[in-house]
Amino acid sequence: MRLNEEHHLKTITIGGDLTVHRIGLGTNRIRENEESRVLLLGAVERGIDFIDTADFYGHYATERMIGNTLAPYPKGLVIATKGGMVPGDNTWNGSPEYLQKALEGSLERLKLKRIDLYQLHRVDPRVPLKVTITFLKKMKDAGKIRHIGLSEVSVAQIEEARSIVDIVSVQNEYNIITRKHEDVVHYCDANKIAFLPYYPLGHGRVNLEDERILKLASNRKATVQQIALAWLLKRSPTMLPIPGTLTLKHLEENLQALKFELSDDEFKYLSEVSLPFSPSR
Ligand SMILES: NC(=O)c1ccc[n+]([C@@H]2O[C@H](COP(=O)([O-])OP(=O)(O)OC[C@H]3O[C@@H](n4cnc5c(N)ncnc54)[C@H](OP(=O)(O)O)[C@@H]3O)[C@@H](O)[C@H]2O)c1
């Protein structure tokens, strides 16, 4: 399957100049092996134009694999990466000294002169957000970053960051069964900020859930994963899900979700799915 005209309807323009389809590829399980090489090449061949990664994934291996497999990148392919979570250490570091090294490393591994979308992986509670964001702005002004995004943040944190520099995307956990960030989705929608729901398939758990999803999947002759993605796409025009997969079969199915249009009634019906996680959590 390749994306055709119909799929062009579901695009999003991030930061005013990065236009991509509203289904990207999450890569936290991509490693330096043949399976991942086939997946990455096949993904681009099938029309994936937004790849989300991080220096943290595979302790740098994922970025290295993307750079070694796909660079020089075809025109229009956006590689979004993240820094601020220390690979191999599971701690945050938002200090300018650390981020400077992290950014230089990502540029080198991804074989890029400038990163289209650099996302702060986590806010480091030990470093004032103002300090971290001011540094990222400096890197943007220096031409090493095109646009800045945030990950796992509150509305107040987004607002604080936006008072210093333009924030074009937010990547928080969100899917049909986990909606603790409803306020952030609403804020991004209202302010035209791309919202990249991570774990868009509930980290693979959506298939175990509510009978409403199963019923609608059966009615629409779709998989439960496609229904979960279609629900996200309908939730907000700024939504850009990044399902992670290692198989081209699943990747094709995920891309096909772009052509599913849920009706308002279907969306409402699905939105009443029983939530294992309370939205207030
Ligand atoms: N910002 C952050 O802090 C953060 C945290 C976590 C993740 N992320 C990002 O979010 C991305 C997505 O998260 P994730 O990959 O962990 O979770 P996910 O996308 O919610 O789910 C991935 C799981 O679903 C399966 N899957 C994918 N497509 C499928 C399909 N069409 N049918 C059936 N199963 C399917 C995958 O297995 P198969 O390989 O068998 O398809 C995998 O087990 C990550 O890759 C990463 O880029 C960001």
Side-chain angles (χ1 to χ4, degrees), residues 154-262:
S154 66
V155 169
Q157 288 170 326
I158 305 170
E159 288 194 320
E160 186 181 350
R162 288 182 83 202
S163 71
I164 300 163
V165 69
D166 195 20
I167 297 296
V168 304
S169 71
V170 169
Q171 182 170 148
N172 281 11
E173 182 177 3
Y174 187 76
N175 56 58
I176 193 167
I177 57 169
T178 312
R179 293 191 228 150
K180 61 188 169 184
H181 288 302
E182 209 63 74
D183 58 337
V184 178
V185 173
H186 181 76
Y187 180 87
C188 288
D189 183 281
N191 290 281
K192 298 195 169 27
I193 295 170
F195 184 89
L196 281 55
Y198 79 71
Y199 293 161
L201 300 175
H203 203 41
R205 287 193 316 256
V206 284
N207 53 339
L208 306 174
E209 305 299 334
D210 196 272
E211 66 185 39
R212 283 173 187 253
I213 305 178
L214 292 168
K215 187 166 168 208
L216 212 86
S218 158
N219 286 352
R220 294 290 303 262
K221 298 194 174 24
T223 67
V224 289
Q225 288 80 10
Q226 287 171 326
I227 294 296
L229 293 172
W231 181 87
L232 285 168
L233 293 173
K234 176 93 175 167
R235 172 64 184 81
S236 162
T238 68
M239 192 76 72
L240 165 52
I242 45 167
T245 183
L246 289 177
T247 79
L248 286 173
K249 178 177 178 286
H250 285 168
L251 183 131
E252 287 181 1
E253 286 173 11
N254 296 342
L255 279 175
Q256 276 163 10
L258 284 172
K259 70 178 185 203
F260 270 88
E261 194 60 57
L262 292 180

Side-chain angles (χ1 to χ4, degrees), residues 5-26:
E5 282 305 306
E6 181 181 3
H7 297 101
H8 286 279
L9 298 173
K10 292 234 178 76
T11 59
I12 180 171
T13 300
I14 304 170
D17 58 5
L18 298 174
T19 299
V20 294
H21 287 94
R22 288 177 58 209
I23 295 280
L25 174 65

Side-chain angles (χ1 to χ4, degrees), residues 24-243:
L25 174 65
T27 62
N28 59 358
R29 287 182 299 140
I30 292 285
R31 294 295 178 268
E32 293 172 292
N33 56 34
E34 182 58 15
E35 183 187 28
S36 292
R37 197 183 72 85
V38 169
L39 193 274
L40 286 172
L41 292 172
V44 173
E45 204 177 293
R46 283 158 179 77
I48 282 285
D49 51 14
F50 184 90
I51 295 182
D52 177 76
T53 190
D55 58 0
F56 184 81
Y57 300 159
H59 204 153
Y60 308 115
T62 305
E63 280 191 343
R64 223 167 25 231
M65 186 64 184
I66 291 170
N68 288 338
T69 309
L70 297 177
Y73 302 98
K75 197 169 177 303
L77 174 61
V78 173
I79 308 293
T81 194
K82 309 181 208 80
M85 200 164 168
V86 185
D89 197 24
N90 273 6
T91 54
W92 323 131
N93 196 332
S95 70
E97 299 73 27
Y98 172 79
L99 283 175
Q100 173 96 52
K101 278 198 222 122
L103 175 60
E104 294 297 342
S106 289
L107 285 164
E108 196 182 321
R109 285 182 294 276
L110 291 169
K111 302 182 196 281
L112 286 167
K113 291 203 164 56
R114 178 174 68 165
I115 286 169
D116 278 340
L117 178 59
Y118 193 76
Q119 305 156 96
L120 179 64
H121 209 153
R122 284 292 182 283
V123 174
D124 180 349
R126 298 164 312 162
V127 178
L129 185 57
K130 187 176 172 209
V131 171
T132 303
I133 299 297
T134 301
F135 169 76
L136 292 178
K137 178 180 185 303
K138 197 172 133 196
M139 292 300 100
K140 187 180 175 212
D141 294 343
K144 299 203 174 204
I145 295 174
R146 190 165 177 175
H147 294 296
I148 300 169
L150 303 173
S151 173
E152 209 51 34
V153 281
S154 66
V155 169
Q157 288 170 326
I158 305 170
E159 288 194 320
E160 186 181 350
R162 288 182 83 202
S163 71
I164 300 163
V165 69
D166 195 20
I167 297 296
V168 304
S169 71
V170 169
Q171 182 170 148
N172 281 11
E173 182 177 3
Y174 187 76
N175 56 58
I176 193 167
I177 57 169
T178 312
R179 293 191 228 150
K180 61 188 169 184
H181 288 302
E182 209 63 74
D183 58 337
V184 178
V185 173
H186 181 76
Y187 180 87
C188 288
D189 183 281
N191 290 281
K192 298 195 169 27
I193 295 170
F195 184 89
L196 281 55
Y198 79 71
Y199 293 161
L201 300 175
H203 203 41
R205 287 193 316 256
V206 284
N207 53 339
L208 306 174
E209 305 299 334
D210 196 272
E211 66 185 39
R212 283 173 187 253
I213 305 178
L214 292 168
K215 187 166 168 208
L216 212 86
S218 158
N219 286 352
R220 294 290 303 262
K221 298 194 174 24
T223 67
V224 289
Q225 288 80 10
Q226 287 171 326
I227 294 296
L229 293 172
W231 181 87
L232 285 168
L233 293 173
K234 176 93 175 167
R235 172 64 184 81
S236 162
T238 68
M239 192 76 72
L240 165 52
I242 45 167

